Amino acid sequence: TLQFWLSCLGSAVGYGNIWRFPYMLFSNGGGVFYIPYIVCIVVVVLPLYYLEVAFAQLFKTDLNKVYSNINSRFYGLSLAMMFVNFVIFIYYN
């Protein structure tokens, strides 16, 4: 279970949050921005991550086929998600 939690943490945090966010926090005046950041992570990011993991485990397949199994019109959504992840990957590397 430790590997699962570490993968959750790695997916939720990302490179930009590790390097840029503390710098922006320090340069703009402190930890007041940290409270809404943590609230957004807990309220928005973690439930969406758990939903995606649950869908993948339920359908036992990759993300494209998961959304296609829900509704065939969602296949474009899965392609858009893959494209956004690819662009973010290119940006950080």
Side-chain angles (χ1 to χ4, degrees):
T1 61
L2 178 63
Q3 293 173 350
F4 174 74
W5 288 110
L6 289 177
S7 70
C8 288
L9 182 66
S11 296
V13 173
Y15 291 124
N17 291 337
I18 291 174
W19 300 115
R20 187 163 186 239
F21 183 72
Y23 168 74
M24 295 298 290
L25 193 73
F26 179 74
S27 64
N28 288 322
V32 175
F33 299 109
Y34 195 64
I35 295 168
Y37 176 74
I38 294 295
V39 169
C40 286
I41 292 259
V42 169
V43 172
V44 176
V45 173
L46 289 178
L48 287 176
Y49 180 76
Y50 290 141
L51 181 67
E52 187 175 336
V53 169
F55 277 162
Q57 289 179 353
L58 177 68
F59 289 104
K60 295 182 176 88
T61 185
D62 60 350
L63 188 63
N64 289 335
K65 292 178 185 170
V66 166
Y67 284 111
S68 295
N69 288 339
I70 294 172
N71 192 341
S72 62
R73 289 182 256 170
F74 289 158
Y75 183 72
L77 177 67
S78 66
L79 291 178
M81 291 171 65
M82 286 179 28
F83 178 73
V84 167
N85 285 332
F86 179 73
V87 169
I88 290 171
F89 178 75
I90 294 297
Y91 175 76
Y92 284 122
N93 288 324

